[in-house]
Amino acid sequence: MFKSRPGYGLSIFAAALAAAFAVAAIGPASAQERKSIRWATSSVDSYGYKVAASMVKIAEEALGGQYTITVNPYPSTTGAMKAAMDGTGEIGYTADVGMTQLYAGEGGFKDYTPAKAKLVHAWYAYPMESFMATSAKDAGKYRCWGDFSGKPVFYTTAGFMNWLNFQRIYKTLGYQFKHVQIDAKSQSDALQAGTIAGSVAYTTAGRSLAPYWKETEVRMDVKVINPCPEEVAKLKAAGLAVVDVDPKAAFSKDVGVRQIQGVPILFAYNVRPDMPEDVVYKLLSAFYKNRESLAKADPGFTPMAADFIGMQAQGINANPDIPVHSGMAKFMKEHKAWNDKWKVAK
């Protein structure tokens, strides 16, 4: 009969156990080798956060599993931009008006110097349309946007791009911007109590309302106040667009106008110049490839799906003096959409 040597079985067991631990260690070691991309967005109840969170899977697959992407919310869009520029993030949520203020050193960027580098053009994702609303019971007090000049208004959370957009609008029209900062979730209470005269609302791609606005219209009746014809003319003369939004596509109740008139802004997720070229190129290529499925999942992507390349060009042209990331430049050149007047970031 075969007999094993003393200690032989124990040695085999120890070897097997060591092998098992070695195999189990491969996963964590592999995970540690993955590079990190931190995607800075506005607060968790914002559309900007929602979009970033929905893009993580596509983005990680586009990068071949070499990167782990985490979405990090900040109190405002301005805060998300600064996080990316100061090195606590790699992708920063922004908009054309935010990029303008950044490079002009205005507003929240006055006397601001990034710890790393300024954001450059990388990916423009969807438009938003900013407009004014008030409580139905007080709507008779207001005929034009000028009627809100100098009055307490919640222009969305301070530092948000729609907040910046109305600063731009008021500066163009010569109105007094008197912002009252409140918790967005308490908006309906503030409107009904008269603490604020009005509140800026916004749609994404002429359709989706922000979550807190959906809650507001459930709790109370609101009315939209459109700009007067002379205000529209002045805004257009200054180079700002004024677009129509179907109220039935955005609100579930009557808001008192046949068409909402708003001033659009183009939202983006931009990066610093030091982001590797192939990362930005692969991300853009993946988003372009998946544009139709993205639009089916979220109507906010409809304009991007309809003209992905055109939207990128529009985003760059809103601030043509701001450099374009080399990965975006490669993508635009590949699609015969590069303008030699644009400059590539270094």
Side-chain angles (χ1 to χ4, degrees), residues 77 93-95 123-128 161-162 265-269:
T77 318
Y93 183 48
T94 183
W123 176 43
Y124 287 85
Y126 53 87
M128 278 188 181
M161 294 297 105
N162 289 281
I265 47 182
L266 195 57
F267 276 79
Y269 297 89

Side-chain angles (χ1 to χ4, degrees), residues 42-48 50 75 128-133 153-158 160-163 166 179-192 196 198-204 208-220 222 250-251 267:
S42 48
S43 56
V44 293
D45 61 348
S46 69
Y47 188 77
K50 175 187 173 184
M128 278 188 181
E129 302 82 18
S130 310
F131 51 94
M132 184 68 75
V153 173
F154 177 52
Y155 292 95
T156 75
T157 302
F160 275 34
M161 294 297 105
N162 289 281
W163 180 80
F166 255 85
H179 175 72
V180 176
Q181 183 63 34
I182 61 173
D183 183 338
K185 293 179 180 178
S186 69
Q187 176 177 258
S188 60
D189 294 333
L191 283 169
Q192 292 182 77
I196 54 176
S199 184
V200 167
Y202 56 93
T203 48
T204 302
S208 305
L209 275 176
Y212 75 90
W213 257 105
K214 290 181 179 179
E215 181 181 338
T216 295
E217 72 155 344
V218 168
R219 295 183 60 190
M220 64 179 293
V222 299
F251 291 90
F267 276 79

Side-chain angles (χ1 to χ4, degrees), residues 260-321:
I260 297 171
Q261 289 186 298
V263 174
I265 47 182
L266 195 57
F267 276 79
Y269 297 89
N270 287 338
V271 303
R272 300 189 308 269
D274 62 356
M275 176 75 82
E277 178 180 303
D278 69 309
V279 169
V280 174
Y281 172 77
K282 287 178 180 178
L283 289 176
L284 279 169
S285 298
F287 299 157
Y288 177 69
K289 180 181 178 182
N290 289 280
R291 64 192 184 280
E292 292 183 2
S293 59
L294 287 170
K296 289 179 181 178
D298 190 324
F301 284 125
T302 302
M304 182 191 72
D307 188 6
F308 187 100
I309 307 300
M311 182 170 286
Q312 306 317 306
Q314 182 185 346
I316 299 171
N317 283 328
N319 293 288
D321 294 331

Side-chain angles (χ1 to χ4, degrees), residues 32-242:
Q32 289 174 2
E33 291 173 3
R34 295 178 72 181
K35 301 173 185 177
S36 174
I37 291 179
R38 295 161 296 180
W39 197 326
T41 72
S42 48
S43 56
V44 293
D45 61 348
S46 69
Y47 188 77
Y49 177 88
K50 175 187 173 184
V51 167
S54 69
M55 302 298 287
V56 168
K57 184 177 180 181
I58 293 175
E60 288 187 338
E61 288 178 355
L63 300 176
Q66 297 178 1
Y67 288 82
T68 297
I69 300 176
T70 55
V71 180
N72 301 332
Y74 288 83
S76 70
T77 318
T78 301
M81 291 174 67
K82 289 182 176 180
M85 293 186 287
D86 289 338
T88 55
E90 282 69 47
I91 300 176
Y93 183 48
T94 183
D96 52 4
V97 63
M99 295 293 285
T100 301
Q101 287 212 337
L102 168 63
Y103 277 79
E106 298 175 345
F109 302 104
K110 185 178 181 180
D111 301 324
Y112 169 71
T113 300
K116 291 283 188 179
K118 290 180 179 178
L119 296 176
V120 296
H121 298 300
W123 176 43
Y124 287 85
Y126 53 87
M128 278 188 181
E129 302 82 18
S130 310
F131 51 94
M132 184 68 75
T134 189
S135 64
K137 65 182 179 65
D138 291 329
K141 300 177 183 178
Y142 309 104
R143 188 178 64 89
C144 307
W145 284 358
D147 295 329
F148 293 94
S149 178
K151 291 184 171 61
V153 173
F154 177 52
Y155 292 95
T156 75
T157 302
F160 275 34
M161 294 297 105
N162 289 281
W163 180 80
L164 289 179
N165 197 25
F166 255 85
Q167 283 192 331
R168 175 173 63 173
I169 290 166
Y170 269 38
K171 183 177 180 181
T172 300
L173 297 175
Y175 296 159
Q176 183 183 352
F177 186 89
K178 187 177 180 180
H179 175 72
V180 176
Q181 183 63 34
I182 61 173
D183 183 338
K185 293 179 180 178
S186 69
Q187 176 177 258
S188 60
D189 294 333
L191 283 169
Q192 292 182 77
T195 308
I196 54 176
S199 184
V200 167
Y202 56 93
T203 48
T204 302
R207 292 177 173 85
S208 305
L209 275 176
Y212 75 90
W213 257 105
K214 290 181 179 179
E215 181 181 338
T216 295
E217 72 155 344
V218 168
R219 295 183 60 190
M220 64 179 293
D221 291 331
V222 299
K223 296 296 180 185
V224 168
I225 306 298
N226 280 331
C228 287
E230 57 268 28
E231 292 173 329
V232 171
K234 196 169 184 179
L235 290 168
K236 289 183 176 180
L240 297 179
V242 179

